Amino acid sequence: KKNIHYDYAVFGLNFRITDIQSAIGRIQFKRMENTVKQRNEIAKIYMDEMPQFVYQKIPEYATRHAYMFFGMLVDAKKRGKLIEEMTKAGIDIRVCWRPAHLQPYHSTLFKNTKLPNSEMLSETMLCPPLGNDMTLDDARNVVKTINNIWGRIK
């Protein structure tokens, strides 16, 4: 007997793009070069002016990076205080995603799974702001604020 139902044996997602999303994307392509250039300049400011942190490594074969987000590794014991103080200063700073095996849906599938490298990154990574509307002066203000706070945290 022919199966007329859409049966799913495994978890999956549908990422088809709509016509409207495609039209918007075509317009956004016109801005892409300037956006990527600006994000790279901000990333360089962060790395140059905050050498006390470890940053994501960009493979040597990559000619450029879009920096969807900018990851920096900080001392896990000081991370909470840095987030708290940045929030008080009105500057957005984010914790990166938890590893997939710790996400609510997947944690039921991967009970007792330990991935120490993923868990270490999850506990130490922070993402300072890196938005399309940020200026280089905004980035320097973020650096000044982080450096000021980091120097005071015990």
Side-chain angles (χ1 to χ4, degrees):
K1 182 177 174 185
K2 184 178 177 183
N3 186 352
I4 60 170
H5 300 283
Y6 289 108
D7 293 329
Y8 298 101
V10 297
F11 174 77
L13 300 171
N14 177 346
F15 288 113
R16 281 180 272 184
I17 191 169
T18 68
D19 290 345
I20 292 184
Q21 291 167 325
S22 297
I24 292 169
R26 288 188 66 189
I27 299 301
Q28 295 289 37
F29 272 126
K30 295 175 184 172
R31 299 176 41 196
M32 185 174 67
E33 290 302 321
N34 288 336
T35 298
V36 171
K37 181 179 179 235
Q38 179 82 350
R39 285 174 167 267
N40 276 267
E41 288 173 359
I42 291 170
K44 183 170 178 7
I45 288 170
Y46 285 164
M47 289 185 281
D48 289 349
E49 297 184 22
M50 295 188 296
Q52 68 270 37
F53 302 115
V54 175
Y55 299 98
Q56 66 193 72
K57 301 286 188 238
I58 307 305
E60 290 182 18
Y61 60 81
T63 57
R64 63 185 179 164
H65 194 287
Y67 288 105
M68 180 186 96
F69 69 92
F70 183 84
M72 59 187 217
L73 302 183
V74 303
D75 182 330
K77 295 175 190 143
K78 296 180 178 182
R79 187 173 79 163
K81 188 66 174 171
L82 178 59
I83 294 168
E84 179 184 323
E85 293 296 320
M86 291 292 286
T87 301
K88 283 181 189 173
I91 298 175
D92 188 36
I93 193 163
R94 302 284 175 108
V95 171
C96 203
W97 300 282
R98 287 184 293 179
H101 72 289
L102 298 178
Q103 294 289 340
Y105 174 83
H106 293 98
S107 65
T108 61
L109 299 173
F110 299 105
K111 292 179 183 153
N112 303 318
T113 298
K114 300 292 181 207
L115 300 172
N117 290 335
S118 296
E119 293 166 18
M120 179 277 298
L121 288 172
S122 176
E123 293 165 5
T124 60
M125 188 176 287
L126 277 180
C127 298
L130 185 62
N132 293 340
D133 59 346
M134 277 186 75
T135 66
L136 300 182
D137 285 339
D138 292 336
R140 289 184 188 96
N141 182 54
V142 169
V143 166
K144 179 180 173 186
T145 306
I146 287 175
N147 284 338
N148 183 358
I149 293 168
W150 195 253
R152 293 190 329 250
I153 297 176
K154 302 283 187 246

